[in-house]
Amino acid sequence: MSSVAKMPELPEVQTVVNDLNAAGLIGIPIIAARVFWPGTIAEPSSRLFCRRIKGQKFTGIRRRGKYLVFEVADGHTMLLHLRMSGRLHLVSASVPRNKHEHVLFSFDDSRQLRFHDTRKFGRLHLLKDPNRILDRLGPEPLASGFTAKTLAEGLKHRRRLLKPLLLDQTFIAGLGNIYVDEALWEAKLHPCRLATSLSTAEIKVLHRTIRRVLKRGLKNLGTTLGTGNGNFYSVANRRGRNKDLLRVFRRTDLPCNRCKSPIRRIIVGQRSTHICGKCQKI
């Protein structure tokens, strides 16, 4: 299990945002930035990235979907997508750099924010108009505007399998493999149901379970599945506690918490998927 990594989803990314805001980074001048693997910087060039961020301050840190959004004093926005194994370390500048820490931001209070990414899939953007990326994303599932009616409107014309649609970030932002499997199990819906086949009652239940599993993940500071470098840890170096509360994800052959039938692992849309064959009939 220690080598297993899953892409951080909404609860994990929001936990990182909460940690960064609690650490008091807002308004602290950035005296330097260094890039040790240029591929981490999606735009602009790594050299221009370092030049533009030097001397700036973060004026806000928030989340949109699976992106961390850093608002910069000069009007730029820095977007960070952690992808499979990315995480942030906030340490004293005197701490020796780990070989997997690819981008370092030095603050004038002698702290450094370091982007650690064993698989090198994570990406940073520094751009004037973040909306050309963020506007592609679907609604935020925990926002007040995301209602059962909103979900029903999105589902009614989508002749796609339910799970791949829920994973589509342009449909709903922030959901990933863990929380989709959990929401579908709680809603007693098979991941291979066609989106258009859901009744009004089923949509209302799915809406509730999506929000419920995400709130549970947030309350427990996310889901950490293993102990390796690629697994999720918060900025405060805490493991997410939500693993022990998962009902179906990664519980292959264990008894279903509702009916005691064994949990099955299947492939849906090329993604590993966990279901109870008795509770979630197609």
Side-chain angles (χ1 to χ4, degrees):
M1 181 68 77
S2 63
S3 63
V4 172
K6 299 300 293 182
M7 184 181 293
E9 304 177 28
L10 186 156
E12 291 76 46
V13 178
Q14 187 62 51
T15 297
V16 171
V17 168
N18 293 346
D19 278 357
L20 291 172
N21 281 307
L25 289 181
I26 302 300
I28 307 296
I30 302 167
I31 59 174
R34 294 186 67 188
V35 176
F36 292 89
W37 192 71
T40 300
I41 310 301
E43 58 181 314
S45 68
S46 59
R47 184 175 298 179
L48 186 55
F49 178 91
C50 292
R51 192 160 66 236
R52 283 181 177 168
I53 208 74
K54 182 179 179 180
Q56 294 300 319
K57 301 174 183 178
F58 294 137
T59 58
I61 305 173
R62 58 187 175 88
R63 179 195 57 77
R64 176 72 172 100
K66 298 179 185 179
Y67 284 94
L68 285 96
V69 182
F70 297 79
E71 295 162 357
V72 183
D74 69 350
H76 281 83
T77 300
M78 187 175 80
L79 302 180
L80 170 59
H81 201 301
L82 300 172
R83 299 287 177 88
M84 290 295 293
S85 61
R87 62 184 195 235
L88 289 168
H89 297 159
L90 185 60
V91 298
S92 167
S94 63
V95 174
R97 172 184 162 261
N98 180 292
K99 68 178 181 179
H100 297 301
E101 291 174 336
H102 304 308
V103 184
L104 274 60
F105 301 91
S106 298
F107 294 86
D108 79 348
D109 61 0
S110 300
R111 291 186 295 174
Q112 286 185 340
L113 183 64
R114 302 177 179 182
F115 179 53
H116 178 285
D117 189 8
T118 55
R119 299 192 181 188
K120 296 183 176 178
F121 291 158
R123 292 294 180 268
L124 277 157
H125 303 251
L126 184 63
L127 64 177
K128 274 288 189 182
D129 180 18
N131 291 329
R132 65 180 171 83
I133 292 176
L134 300 181
D135 281 355
R136 303 171 193 165
L137 302 176
E140 289 286 334
L142 291 181
S144 59
F146 181 72
T147 63
K149 183 178 180 181
T150 304
L151 180 59
E153 285 295 313
L155 290 170
K156 70 179 183 181
H157 298 304
R158 308 289 184 109
R159 291 193 59 80
R160 293 179 62 184
L161 300 185
L162 194 52
K163 178 170 180 177
L165 179 59
L166 293 176
L167 290 175
D168 185 341
Q169 297 303 293
T170 66
F171 182 67
I172 299 176
L175 287 174
N177 220 24
I178 298 172
Y179 297 99
V180 168
D181 278 7
E182 291 294 302
L184 291 175
W185 179 85
E186 294 218 5
K188 298 184 179 180
L189 294 172
H190 195 285
C192 291
R193 285 276 300 274
L194 277 178
T196 52
S197 73
L198 269 63
S199 68
T200 299
E202 288 173 324
I203 292 171
K204 288 179 179 179
V205 172
L206 178 59
H207 174 262
R208 285 198 303 271
T209 63
I210 287 172
R211 292 169 66 92
R212 183 186 304 149
V213 300
L214 290 174
K215 288 178 180 178
R216 184 187 302 143
L218 268 172
K219 181 179 178 181
N220 290 288
L221 306 177
T223 303
T224 303
L225 295 168
T227 57
N229 277 336
N231 288 277
F232 171 72
Y233 286 80
S234 70
V235 178
N237 205 33
R238 295 184 300 243
R239 291 169 53 82
R241 301 189 302 260
N242 201 55
K243 176 178 179 291
D244 295 335
L245 296 173
L246 298 178
R247 271 56 167 183
V248 65
F249 189 80
R250 291 271 173 83
R251 297 190 71 247
T252 306
D253 296 329
L254 293 175
C256 170
N257 286 345
R258 271 193 303 249
C259 73
K260 307 307 178 186
S261 297
I263 298 299
R264 294 167 47 208
R265 177 183 176 274
I266 62 175
I267 302 297
V268 179
Q270 301 181 322
R271 301 294 297 272
S272 177
T273 300
H274 302 82
I275 66 165
C276 171
K278 185 174 181 181
C279 292
Q280 295 169 268
K281 294 181 179 177
I282 191 159

